[in-house]
Amino acid sequence: MEKARQIALCTIQLIFCIITPAWAEEDDTVCGTVVDSTDRSPLANVYVCLYEGKRMLAYTFSDADGRFRISVDKAMSPDRLTASLIGYDVKSCKISGTNSLTVKMTR
């Protein structure tokens, strides 16, 4: 019985060692607004993606006010954001050093 108890305690400690670092890590957040380049009106439902090199890390859609917010693990290093909406050119922006962007899209 004592041996089974020791195995159970070791198993629980191992699980906490594996799970705890994931809880401790925080996310980086990139946020901003997508607007029309001509009249600066906010654009809703824009597909916004974060990339690290050629690998897509995360995506979201802008809200009715053109705002978006994307969170990624701190271990990731996003370097580029793309925004696309039917009727507009795809916009690609470098994001090094900034976490807040205004993306201006052209038709």
Side-chain angles (χ1 to χ4, degrees), residues 9-26:
L9 286 174
C10 286
T11 303
I12 291 170
Q13 288 174 339
L14 179 62
I15 290 170
F16 278 115
C17 288
I18 292 170
I19 293 175
T20 301
W23 286 339
E25 290 183 24
E26 295 180 22

Side-chain angles (χ1 to χ4, degrees), residues 2-39:
E2 185 63 32
K3 183 80 168 172
R5 188 174 186 192
Q6 287 177 342
I7 291 173
L9 286 174
C10 286
T11 303
I12 291 170
Q13 288 174 339
L14 179 62
I15 290 170
F16 278 115
C17 288
I18 292 170
I19 293 175
T20 301
W23 286 339
E25 290 183 24
E26 295 180 22
D27 289 342
D28 269 339
T29 302
V30 177
C31 58
T33 306
V34 185
V35 298
D36 183 287
S37 65
T38 306
D39 63 7

Side-chain angles (χ1 to χ4, degrees), residues 2-107:
E2 185 63 32
K3 183 80 168 172
R5 188 174 186 192
Q6 287 177 342
I7 291 173
L9 286 174
C10 286
T11 303
I12 291 170
Q13 288 174 339
L14 179 62
I15 290 170
F16 278 115
C17 288
I18 292 170
I19 293 175
T20 301
W23 286 339
E25 290 183 24
E26 295 180 22
D27 289 342
D28 269 339
T29 302
V30 177
C31 58
T33 306
V34 185
V35 298
D36 183 287
S37 65
T38 306
D39 63 7
R40 304 291 192 260
S41 62
L43 297 174
N45 301 314
V46 177
Y47 181 59
V48 181
C49 300
L50 280 182
Y51 290 88
E52 180 178 29
K54 292 186 177 186
R55 182 174 70 132
M56 184 174 71
L57 302 175
Y59 69 92
T60 191
F61 291 90
S62 62
D63 66 13
D65 296 318
R67 293 181 304 232
F68 65 89
R69 177 182 219 75
I70 305 177
S71 295
V72 293
D73 191 282
K74 278 202 181 282
M76 298 176 181
S77 300
D79 56 6
R80 185 171 48 95
L81 175 141
T82 63
S84 59
L85 180 65
I86 294 174
Y88 287 84
D89 296 333
V90 174
K91 180 72 175 191
S92 183
C93 309
K94 290 190 181 245
I95 59 168
S96 61
T98 184
N99 286 358
S100 183
L101 300 165
T102 299
V103 181
K104 297 175 186 169
M105 298 190 68
T106 57
R107 291 182 187 258

